[in-house]
Amino acid sequence: MTVARAGGFREGARVSGASASALSESVRRLEATLGVRLLHRTTRSVVPTEAGAQLIERLGPALREVEDALDVVNVFRARPAGTLRLNVPVSAARLVLPSILPPFLATFPEIRVEIVAEDDFVDFVAAGCDAGIRYDERLEQDMIAVPIGPRVQRFATAAAPAYLDRRGRPAHPRDLLAHACIRGRFRSGAMPPWEFERDGEIVKIDPAGPLLVSSGTAADLAISAALAGAGIIYLFEDWLRPHLDSFMLEPVLEPWWQAFSGPFLYYSGRRLLPAPLKAFVDFLRQAGG
């Protein structure tokens, strides 16, 4: 499971603390015992065979049950220990967690946090994570949600002053249709429209532009392009704030910037909370209170 999740013996060794040769020998013995090859090995990658993939699918829930059972002894420790795995959007890794994780890790030095940052909306349980961070429109109904980070955020539009001097300053969101706009697209192919709101009026537009990047993961490239005068960018205000404060970027249509509720940590209420996750939830609630 470790090797398959890590995509290789070397990375699996780094994650588990074992040696790559020990992991390789363990997998070799398992394959010999079962009489089936479980992993395809090349010089560049290690991927499960069909038999290996089916075994991993069945082992996942069983191993989580074993981990939960072993975690029971955590309540007898002076301080909780173990690994907390979180699946989060890139924006949360950039804007939310930096102010939360350092004090949490200082409070619980025996807890190790593993962050999987991606903007695809995956099943965090199936991905081997304890919890996820999402916004309310993405929360599943059977999940428990705990507020994390800022409770109100905004989407902002901005551009380099030189670009606006050259192309003009939009007065209404629809004016953006005549501008060069830097767009983002999720790996699924979805390219959400830009949404604006003022005095109860909501305007959604689908502008065009010279640059299209992967949402979240390539946001810094989009910002660099905007700073260089390539066009107008639409992103979390907090992400753009340092450049707005330095006047390297100029706000565009600020009265139309749409506010939305902040993110939530969410986890399944159907299973006993692992000690590291319980410590994190309690830490968030105490900080929020």
Side-chain angles (χ1 to χ4, degrees):
M1 289 289 288
T2 299
V3 172
R5 285 174 176 169
F9 290 97
R10 181 176 300 176
E11 182 64 14
R14 188 191 66 79
V15 170
S16 66
S19 69
S21 59
L23 286 179
S24 178
E25 177 61 20
S26 295
V27 172
R28 188 197 64 76
R29 288 200 308 267
L30 179 59
E31 290 177 325
T33 300
L34 298 177
V36 175
R37 178 175 289 275
L38 300 175
L39 297 174
H40 288 302
R41 304 160 176 80
T42 70
T43 56
R44 293 186 177 182
S45 66
V46 175
V47 296
T49 63
E50 182 179 358
Q54 291 189 23
L55 179 60
I56 288 168
E57 184 178 357
R58 295 293 298 273
L59 281 176
L63 288 180
R64 280 192 293 272
E65 289 294 326
V66 171
E67 290 172 354
D68 288 348
L70 293 174
D71 190 64
V72 169
V73 302
N74 242 324
V75 299
F76 297 100
R77 298 174 59 94
R79 292 180 300 191
T83 299
L84 171 63
R85 299 180 182 88
L86 300 178
N87 182 279
V88 308
V90 174
S91 59
R94 176 68 181 265
L95 305 175
V96 176
L97 292 178
S99 64
I100 294 174
L101 285 184
F104 173 73
L105 293 172
T107 304
F108 300 98
E110 296 182 53
I111 291 179
R112 173 177 176 266
V113 178
E114 182 179 328
I115 302 297
V116 179
E118 56 187 351
D119 282 321
D120 291 336
F121 300 104
V122 302
D123 180 343
F124 74 85
V125 176
C129 294
D130 300 298
I133 294 179
R134 292 290 181 267
Y135 288 85
D136 54 1
E137 73 272 15
R138 297 288 184 177
L139 293 177
E140 299 174 28
Q141 296 301 314
D142 61 346
M143 294 291 171
I144 296 175
V146 178
I148 183 172
R151 299 324 310 141
V152 177
Q153 294 180 281
R154 291 195 300 177
F155 278 116
T157 35
Y163 169 86
L164 297 172
D165 291 342
R166 185 172 72 251
R167 296 288 299 270
R169 287 164 172 78
H172 189 278
R174 294 189 185 90
D175 294 341
L176 294 173
L177 295 173
H179 279 264
C181 294
I182 301 170
R183 299 297 304 273
R185 181 169 62 191
F186 291 110
R187 193 164 62 177
S188 65
M191 192 161 61
W194 290 8
E195 192 164 336
F196 301 86
E197 185 174 2
R198 184 179 186 182
D199 299 328
E201 179 187 2
I202 296 178
V203 178
K204 297 181 180 181
I205 64 168
D206 192 22
L211 180 62
L212 178 64
V213 303
S214 297
S215 292
T217 53
D220 286 337
L221 172 60
I223 293 173
S224 295
L227 290 168
I232 297 176
I233 191 171
Y234 176 86
L235 199 61
F236 287 94
E237 178 186 1
D238 292 340
W239 214 325
L240 297 178
R241 178 50 55 192
H243 306 292
L244 295 169
D245 290 344
S246 68
F247 305 107
M248 297 294 290
L249 289 178
E250 180 180 324
V252 173
L253 299 169
E254 187 169 2
W256 286 89
W257 289 0
Q258 188 178 54
F260 55 95
S261 62
F264 293 84
L265 177 82
Y266 74 111
Y267 56 91
S268 174
R270 298 178 180 177
R271 55 193 287 246
L272 185 67
L273 282 191
L277 177 56
K278 184 179 186 304
F280 191 57
V281 170
D282 290 344
F283 181 84
L284 292 177
R285 286 176 169 156
Q286 185 175 3

